[in-house]
Amino acid sequence: MAEAEGSGSEDRKPKSDEAHSAFTPPPGMAPEAPEEDQPTSEFAVPDGMAAQVPEPEGSAFAAPATYSAHQSPPAYVPGGFPVSRMKESPWQDRMRTMLRMPVDVRPVAEPVQRQSEAGPAVGRVLDLTLRIGELLLAGGEGAEDVEAAMFAVARSYGLDRCEPTVTFTMLSVTHQPSLVDHPVSASRTVRRRGTDYTRLAAVFRLVDDISAPEVDVSLEEAYRRLAEIRRNRHPYPTWVLTAAAGLLAGAASILVGGGVTVFFCAALGAVLGDRLAWFCAGRGLPEFYQFVVAAMPPAAIGVALKIAQIDVRASAVITGGLFALLPGRALVAAVQDGLTGYYITASARLLEVMYLFIGIISGVLVVIYVGLQFGAQPNPDEVLQIPSRPVIQILASMVLVFTFAILLQQEWSTVTIVTLNGAVAWVTFGALRAAELPPVPSTAIAAGLVGLFGQLFSRYRFASALPYVTAAIGPLLPGSATYYGLLSIAENRLDTGLASLTNAAAIALAIAVGVNLGSETSRLFMRIPGAQSAAKRRAAKRTRGF
């Protein structure tokens, strides 16, 4: 009885505060339904509210495509990458698009050319790839286009997992047969370099045929055509090239204010310099010394005119000779490689440009210094006072571009187009300078038009852009600023001379950057294969400095 009373008193005794939670519902109130184990997301649709229409793909509030393994997209297969085989999509664009993708997400290659039952001959395909890349790199093509060509050849013959690598003097390609097989690598060194855009165009046509499914090019046929390209002689004989160098210097002297006498003196100086350079090349002297001796005859003739006190524009003779020697082709290729991410090749090309430029400076400075000792009195202000003769200067610029194209060994079918492209560039530059725009931005805009039109012409004809661009920048080269800087240094005015040479370097870089920017702008007017898939699968971004 006592125990029963004790238990009843304990039931009537109030419980302490720790005995129940503050969130316990009061007596008489129905308990709520138990909550789920996982808390509700703040983005969940409230109860009683109709589910909204799914957000469009790409929305910030849409669930990822791989949110659930049952709802994940299909595996990445070769057919999922829209590689266009149509002629309006050049092989450069197709291959460049895939080269910028990681190796593990590239589509498996669909061999364009017929293969034997044993599969592709890996060794021969890699050797052919390297030989084609060697000709392109030796001809002055940019590193990105060389890699695209090598990649196109390898894929066309059935080698899908290939990685071409291009530096200034070395080419290599690696093929991974499978995930368990050892990789196969091959390399080749570029020993000789030469400017022959006819040969360059022939190599581009060969790569275009190899990468086209409607053209049957076996390995034997590709080797035969490549051997013919190597054996073919240059399209112009030596005397034509020498005459073209003279006409180029003469046209450049007219461009900077010279007359008839100056034209012939500049042409004679350039011809003598060209012959001396050929003589040094035949004796095996490096290219640096060839530029030193090639710069001396035009400078010597200009100094001789000053010593003889002949009333002509002697500075135009030296300036015309500089136009024929300035390495504009190498500078454009160097800046193009740098802007496309090939920094090692760009650094080597810029170093080559620097050495050639120092060679030109050395040759001209020696002659000017000797002339000053013999009483030559050059007029520095005469260099920068260029008279305005629009019609004559336009004609002179066209002759300059025409002869420059001949020196680059271009095909006749491209000479006319690049001549018109150079005339447009000079007219644009002259109009901007007449509007009192500074020289550097004026040069960059004119060079941008050169790159734009050159790239469009090359895509229209499925060829390299170099024959349509390189010669067209000839009238824009900083010959006057270079000579003014050298003359100031020879007269011991180092501050003025270095400032003028810096201005010449800025103009040269403006040419190179403008050409590259114009080439990239041309892609706005062309349909690039894979552009729609690129919106869904973005390419890897560059480091942006970190």
Side-chain angles (χ1 to χ4, degrees):
M1 185 68 179
E3 293 179 359
E5 290 179 357
S7 61
S9 62
E10 288 181 1
D11 292 339
R12 293 190 299 268
K13 187 177 179 180
K15 297 181 180 180
S16 63
D17 294 337
E18 290 82 2
H20 59 83
S21 172
F23 298 97
T24 304
M29 187 173 182
E32 296 181 356
E35 296 183 355
E36 298 180 359
D37 294 337
Q38 297 294 335
T40 304
S41 171
E42 57 181 288
F43 296 104
V45 180
D47 296 336
M49 185 176 180
Q52 298 180 356
V53 180
E55 296 286 345
E57 186 176 0
S59 171
F61 298 100
T66 57
Y67 186 77
S68 172
H70 299 287
Q71 300 175 353
S72 60
Y76 190 69
V77 295
F81 187 76
V83 179
S84 175
R85 297 289 187 183
M86 298 166 58
K87 267 295 183 181
E88 57 264 25
S89 299
W91 60 265
Q92 300 100 307
D93 294 331
R94 301 199 306 264
M95 297 303 114
R96 190 182 292 113
T97 302
M98 283 187 283
L99 271 176
R100 293 175 178 176
M101 299 173 62
V103 182
D104 55 341
V105 298
R106 288 178 189 164
V108 179
E110 299 177 3
V112 174
Q113 303 299 330
R114 289 182 296 180
Q115 305 295 324
S116 62
E117 296 181 357
V122 177
R124 298 193 67 193
V125 172
L126 294 183
D127 179 69
L128 177 66
T129 300
L130 290 172
R131 290 177 182 272
I132 289 177
E134 179 190 10
L135 285 180
L136 292 176
L137 187 62
E141 191 62 71
E144 187 178 29
D145 287 332
V146 175
E147 282 194 359
M150 295 172 64
F151 192 66
V153 174
R155 288 182 63 88
S156 298
Y157 286 109
L159 304 186
D160 52 346
R161 286 179 291 272
C162 278
E163 273 298 312
T165 304
V166 176
T167 59
F168 185 58
T169 58
M170 177 71 72
L171 301 104
S172 63
V173 59
T174 301
H175 169 59
Q176 182 75 38
S178 67
L179 296 177
V180 296
D181 293 329
H182 295 290
V184 181
S185 299
S187 61
R188 197 173 184 88
T189 303
V190 179
R191 301 292 183 185
R192 295 184 57 188
R193 297 178 183 273
T195 303
D196 188 344
Y197 283 178
T198 300
R199 176 179 295 176
L200 191 71
V203 177
F204 260 73
R205 284 192 292 268
L206 174 59
V207 177
D208 189 29
D209 290 342
I210 291 176
S211 58
E214 62 272 9
V215 182
D216 185 14
V217 182
S218 63
L219 275 174
E220 290 74 16
E221 176 68 14
Y223 269 106
R224 185 190 63 79
R225 290 179 57 177
L226 194 63
E228 288 181 356
I229 293 173
R230 284 179 174 274
R231 286 196 303 265
N232 282 347
R233 299 176 60 87
H234 298 306
Y236 308 109
T238 303
W239 68 269
V240 172
L241 299 180
T242 302
L247 287 176
L248 190 154
S253 66
I254 297 295
L255 201 64
V256 295
V260 178
T261 304
V262 171
F263 175 88
F264 286 105
C265 290
L268 177 62
V271 168
L272 293 177
D274 182 77
R275 288 293 87 199
L276 283 176
W278 276 97
F279 177 79
C280 294
R283 296 299 182 273
L285 289 180
E287 197 173 12
F288 174 83
Y289 300 106
Q290 298 175 29
F291 273 76
V292 172
V293 299
M296 287 183 173
I301 292 178
V303 170
L305 291 176
K306 276 296 182 182
I307 295 177
Q309 296 183 355
I310 300 177
D311 189 16
V312 294
R313 195 179 180 90
S315 61
V317 177
I318 304 177
T319 304
L322 291 177
F323 268 88
L325 296 175
L326 292 177
R329 173 185 60 85
L331 179 64
V332 171
V335 175
Q336 179 183 357
D337 287 342
L339 293 178
T340 52
Y342 295 85
Y343 301 116
I344 297 178
T345 307
S347 302
R349 289 186 191 271
L350 286 175
L351 189 62
E352 179 191 30
V353 171
M354 185 188 71
Y355 272 107
L356 298 181
F357 196 69
I358 292 176
I360 297 171
I361 291 175
S362 301
V364 175
L365 273 181
V366 168
V367 174
I368 292 178
Y369 182 77
V370 172
L372 291 176
Q373 306 307 312
F374 281 91
Q377 298 179 351
N379 183 12
D381 297 332
E382 178 189 53
V383 181
L384 302 179
Q385 295 174 355
I386 301 176
S388 178
R389 302 176 296 177
V391 177
I392 296 178
Q393 288 176 330
I394 291 175
L395 294 177
S397 67
M398 296 179 69
V399 174
L400 191 154
V401 175
F402 178 83
T403 52
F404 199 177
I406 297 298
L407 288 175
L408 293 174
Q409 307 275 4
Q410 294 188 200
E411 296 175 311
W412 272 111
S413 59
T414 64
V415 170
T416 304
I417 297 176
V418 73
T419 301
L420 296 177
N421 198 11
V424 171
W426 178 255
V427 170
T428 303
F429 174 77
L432 294 175
R433 292 293 293 134
E436 299 183 353
L437 193 67
V440 173
S442 301
T443 304
I445 294 174
L449 290 179
V450 169
L452 173 63
F453 293 140
Q455 194 67 234
L456 292 178
F457 281 131
S458 69
R459 288 299 186 263
Y460 176 74
R461 304 189 66 172
F462 305 103
S464 172
L466 290 181
Y468 303 96
V469 170
T470 306
I473 65 174
L476 304 176
L477 293 175
S480 298
T482 302
Y483 173 59
Y484 182 77
L486 297 179
L487 182 59
S488 301
I489 292 176
E491 294 179 341
N492 203 22
R493 296 183 297 155
L494 294 180
D495 294 341
T496 305
L498 292 178
S500 183
L501 289 179
T502 302
N503 183 40
I507 292 175
L509 288 177
I511 293 174
V513 174
V515 168
N516 183 267
L517 182 60
S519 299
E520 295 298 328
T521 304
S522 67
R523 302 183 191 280
L524 299 176
F525 306 96
M526 297 183 298
R527 182 188 175 202
I528 304 300
Q532 295 179 354
S533 65
K536 301 178 181 179
R537 182 184 291 271
R538 297 292 181 185
K541 296 181 180 178
R542 298 205 179 275
T543 58
R544 298 178 183 267
F546 51 83

